[in-house]
Amino acid sequence: MKADEIQEILRDLADPDIAQHSQHFFKTEKGDYGEGDQFLGIRVPVLRGYVKKYIDISLKEISRLLKSPYHEERFLALQLLVQKFTKGNVNEKAAIYELYLKHTAYINNWDLVDSSAHYIVGVYLEDKDKQPLYELAESSSLWERRIAIMSTFHLIRKHDFYDALEISKILKDDKEDLIHKAVGWMLREIGKRDREVEEVFLKKFYKKMPRTMLRYAIEKFSEKERQRYLKGLI
């Protein structure tokens, strides 16, 4: 299967009403984080249904699909990479990881990052040097910084919190709301597994954290505990 064949199939499924809603939902207006992104108007469950069907597509063709101007085609390309990575051998996993990091310019919205980063980058780096995550965290690209923190989700699930906390330190002063949300989310995930570890971090940094980051981080706390943090009473 070729990328252009898949594109032809997907474009036949286009729904202008869904596309219009998606453009609003993913903030595509001038100055917004998704500025200029284009949508065909295809629901996620429909796209996921094509992953198994086209799983034998080559990485070369996936890279072509990933460069599409249409959001849904990039989403499908990333889901194909995730599935191929999951089933791949050591060499195949390395090739997919390298392809992923070479194409971060096209992984340019929160759903694209969140549905792929921890499944590919996080898993690949689990038993390796985590320096690539720190380089991504220092990037000028909002999406590379989000890839950095979201990749740690896999490590958090393994009860390995070190890199998630260190990257949270790097990003705690970030100017982007989408980073505030992602960092707060990962801190909350740490807290689900070890509340004490999360609170040690929060007590050190919560007064200087962006409000959104803090709210996400303490979402599972009791109302009394949330109010103490929000009022600076810890």
Side-chain angles (χ1 to χ4, degrees):
M1 177 63 71
K2 300 291 186 181
D4 56 359
E5 294 177 273
I6 295 176
Q7 290 174 319
E8 185 176 348
I9 292 168
L10 293 181
R11 291 174 194 188
D12 283 342
L13 297 173
D15 184 319
D17 291 334
I18 296 175
Q20 184 175 17
H21 175 269
S22 296
Q23 287 174 323
H24 175 73
F25 182 75
F26 286 103
K27 309 294 185 184
T28 62
E29 295 298 322
K30 185 174 178 60
D32 287 335
Y33 62 75
E35 180 179 348
D37 204 353
Q38 300 179 55
F39 289 80
L40 292 168
I42 306 173
R43 302 289 190 193
V44 168
V46 175
L47 293 169
R48 290 192 184 279
Y50 283 96
V51 175
K52 289 184 179 180
K53 187 173 182 179
Y54 300 131
I55 193 62
D56 292 330
I57 187 173
S58 70
L59 293 186
K60 181 178 180 181
E61 293 300 318
I62 291 178
S63 69
R64 289 176 176 171
L65 192 61
L66 187 54
K67 295 173 184 176
S68 169
Y70 290 105
H71 188 102
E72 293 94 338
E73 292 176 359
R74 300 198 304 280
F75 180 88
L76 178 56
L78 289 165
Q79 294 311 297
L80 286 164
L81 286 178
V82 167
Q83 289 303 310
K84 289 178 82 70
F85 182 92
T86 300
K87 297 179 179 181
N89 59 36
V90 172
N91 291 334
E92 289 167 338
K93 288 179 187 294
I96 292 168
Y97 166 79
E98 290 171 6
L99 185 155
Y100 189 93
L101 290 189
K102 287 179 180 178
H103 290 78
T104 54
Y106 305 98
I107 309 171
N108 57 351
N109 216 310
W110 58 264
D111 64 317
L112 303 180
V113 172
D114 297 0
S115 63
S116 62
H118 60 292
Y119 291 115
I120 295 176
V121 181
V123 174
Y124 184 76
L125 294 178
E126 179 181 350
D127 58 354
K128 300 177 182 65
D129 185 355
K130 308 300 189 297
Q131 183 58 30
L133 295 182
Y134 293 86
E135 293 173 2
L136 289 166
E138 298 283 4
S139 171
S140 61
S141 164
L142 158 63
W143 306 117
E144 289 192 346
R145 299 198 303 279
R146 188 157 175 127
I147 287 170
I149 187 63
M150 288 306 302
S151 294
T152 68
F153 197 0
H154 173 74
L155 305 175
I156 292 170
R157 285 172 167 170
K158 297 288 185 177
H159 289 256
D160 179 356
F161 309 134
Y162 177 81
D163 295 292
L165 293 171
E166 290 300 306
I167 290 171
S168 293
K169 290 179 187 177
I170 294 171
L171 297 176
K172 64 181 175 58
D173 299 318
D174 201 279
K175 303 301 181 184
E176 296 288 348
D177 186 63
L178 284 174
I179 298 300
H180 303 167
K181 291 176 179 178
V183 172
W185 177 9
M186 291 304 101
L187 291 173
R188 184 174 73 234
E189 290 296 330
I190 291 172
K192 287 180 182 180
R193 294 157 177 84
D194 193 323
R195 177 68 171 269
E196 183 178 353
V197 170
E198 182 190 8
E199 291 220 63
V200 167
F201 183 92
L202 289 177
K203 287 174 181 177
K204 185 173 182 180
F205 297 112
Y206 84 98
K207 289 185 177 180
K208 297 181 179 180
M209 289 168 61
R211 204 68 164 176
T212 297
M213 187 184 296
L214 178 59
R215 286 186 180 277
Y216 269 61
I218 62 176
E219 187 177 87
K220 298 298 182 181
F221 290 16
S222 70
E223 177 62 22
K224 181 178 180 180
E225 291 171 313
R226 288 200 302 273
Q227 288 304 315
R228 291 187 68 208
Y229 273 100
L230 292 171
K231 292 177 181 178
L233 301 177
I234 299 299

